[in-house]
């Protein structure tokens, strides 16, 4: 088995792990035991992401270039997600679209609301706490 085959297999495992985490988040209240496979899925996702990132960069790692590539890849996705959600929320006549809670969510910082135990009155930002962790990690380097 070569590196490309292993990488492909882990890519499939990462997709399945993401689907398990989404399932776990969605059905945790109705099926509480899902925390076990969800935890395993989080481990698989984190492990495979970490190992393949380290193998990709090896001795040629530049922290600024790493973060630049990550932001170039993720920020457009965050913008597209927010535009799509805005259209869906307006169509659904969701309450709280134009509250101050929307601002941190639009910038991927809704996790701060969770940490401060502030109920997010905006429909934006649910499930995007990982962006908060990513951005805080970025700010620690610069």
């Amino acid at each position: 088995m070569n590196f490309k085959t292993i990488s492909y297999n882990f890519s499939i495992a990462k997709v399945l792990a993401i689907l398990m985490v989404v399932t776990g988040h969605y059905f945790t209240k109705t099926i509480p035991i899902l925390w076990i496979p969800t935890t395993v899925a989080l481990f698989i996702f984190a492990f495979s992401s970490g190992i393949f990132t380290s193998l990709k960069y090896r001795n040629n790692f530049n922290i600024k270039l790493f973060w630049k590539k990550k932001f170039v890849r993720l920020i457009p996705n965050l913008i597209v997600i927010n535009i799509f959600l805005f259209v869906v929320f307006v169509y659904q006549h969701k309450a709280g679209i134009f509250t101050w809670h929307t601002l941190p969510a639009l910038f991927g910082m809704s996790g701060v609301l969770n940490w401060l135990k502030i109920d997010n009155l905006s429909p934006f930002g649910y499930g995007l706490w990982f962006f908060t962790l990513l951005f805080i990690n970025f700010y620690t380097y610069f």
Side-chain angles (χ1 to χ4, degrees):
M1 211 180 244
N2 62 22
F3 178 78
K4 197 169 197 145
T5 303
I6 294 170
S7 179
Y8 178 75
N9 290 340
F10 264 104
S11 293
I12 291 171
K14 281 173 63 174
V15 169
L16 293 174
I18 290 168
L19 291 173
M20 183 63 235
V21 170
V22 169
T23 302
H25 278 79
Y26 190 74
F27 291 110
T28 297
K29 290 182 181 177
T30 55
I31 310 171
I33 196 75
L34 280 180
W35 74 267
I36 295 171
T38 301
T39 302
V40 172
L42 283 169
F43 173 79
I44 291 169
F45 182 78
F47 173 80
S48 62
S49 294
I51 195 75
F52 287 107
T53 298
S54 68
L55 290 174
K56 178 180 177 182
Y57 288 100
R58 294 201 185 221
N59 297 328
N60 196 14
F61 185 72
N62 179 329
I63 191 78
K64 289 186 180 186
L65 183 60
F66 172 81
W67 282 112
K68 180 181 178 185
K69 284 182 178 180
K70 188 156 295 281
F71 275 95
V72 165
R73 187 171 49 107
L74 292 178
I75 296 299
N77 293 334
L78 183 62
I79 292 168
V80 169
I81 288 168
N82 283 327
I83 290 170
F84 173 77
L85 289 175
F86 177 77
V87 170
V88 169
F89 296 153
V90 167
Y91 177 76
Q92 294 176 338
H93 303 291
K94 287 272 190 183
I97 294 173
F98 299 106
T99 65
W100 73 268
H101 298 102
T102 299
L103 287 175
L106 291 178
F107 292 103
M109 299 297 289
S110 61
V112 173
L113 299 175
N114 296 343
W115 294 334
L116 297 175
K117 298 188 186 322
I118 298 172
D119 288 334
N120 185 359
L121 301 179
S122 169
F124 287 96
Y126 289 106
L128 293 178
W129 56 266
F130 60 89
F131 272 114
T132 305
L133 297 176
L134 179 70
F135 293 150
I136 287 174
N137 191 21
F138 168 75
Y139 294 129
T140 62
Y141 286 104
F142 297 100

